Amino acid sequence: MGQGCCAEVSPGKSVEDDVPVPVQLVEKVRDEPATVVDTAKLLGTWRTPAGKYTISGGSSPSELSFCEEGEGGSFLTGLLKQQGEWWEADIRNDAAGGDLVGHLRLQPCDYGVRSTFRLKDTFKWDPVGYVATRIES
C-alpha cells in the first residue's frame, strides 16, 4: 500500500485485501470468507521447543512487539506488522548491536500461535515451523 491517498491494489486482489486491519487479524478458513480475530490471541508469553517469547502491544495499534531471551545471552526483538493472514517481523539481536538474525512470521491458530522463520528475505519460509503454547496472558 502506498503513502498516497489512493490505495494500490495487488494483482488478483481487491482493495479490502490490501488494506491492513489495525487492531485485528484477518484469518481465512478454507475458501470461506475471512473472519476477524482479535489480536489478543497473539498477546502474551509463549513457549515452543526453541524457547520462550513474549508478544506485547507495539507503538501503534497496527504493530506488535516480539521479544525473546535466547541462549548465550542473545536478546531477540522485532516489530510485528500484519501481512495478510500473518504478522511478520525482522528479528534482531539487541545484545549484538542490533544485528539482523532473520525474519519471523506468526499466526494465531486454534491450539496456540504458529510460527515460521527464514534467515534471509530471499529464502522460502520454513514449511514446518513451530506451534507455541501460551504460558502467560
Side-chain angles (χ1 to χ4, degrees), residues 46-125:
W46 301 87
R47 180 176 307 283
T48 71
K52 180 174 78 168
Y53 62 85
T54 300
I55 301 173
S56 57
S59 59
S60 78
S62 62
E63 299 174 342
L64 298 173
S65 294
F66 173 89
C67 178
E68 178 180 350
E69 290 187 50
E71 296 179 14
S74 66
F75 190 71
L76 307 177
T77 63
L79 191 59
L80 293 156
K81 295 181 182 182
Q82 188 174 357
Q83 301 292 322
E85 298 177 11
W86 294 86
W87 288 79
E88 297 181 8
D90 293 339
I91 301 300
R92 299 186 178 278
N93 184 353
D94 288 354
D99 290 346
L100 181 66
V101 296
H103 309 278
L104 175 72
R105 68 179 183 170
L106 303 170
Q107 180 184 54
C109 58
D110 290 339
Y111 33 85
V113 172
R114 182 173 174 229
S115 64
T116 186
F117 187 81
R118 62 184 178 188
L119 290 174
K120 296 182 179 185
D121 60 1
T122 56
F123 291 6
K124 291 184 179 182
W125 290 105

Side-chain angles (χ1 to χ4, degrees), residues 35 43 132:
T35 57
L43 302 177

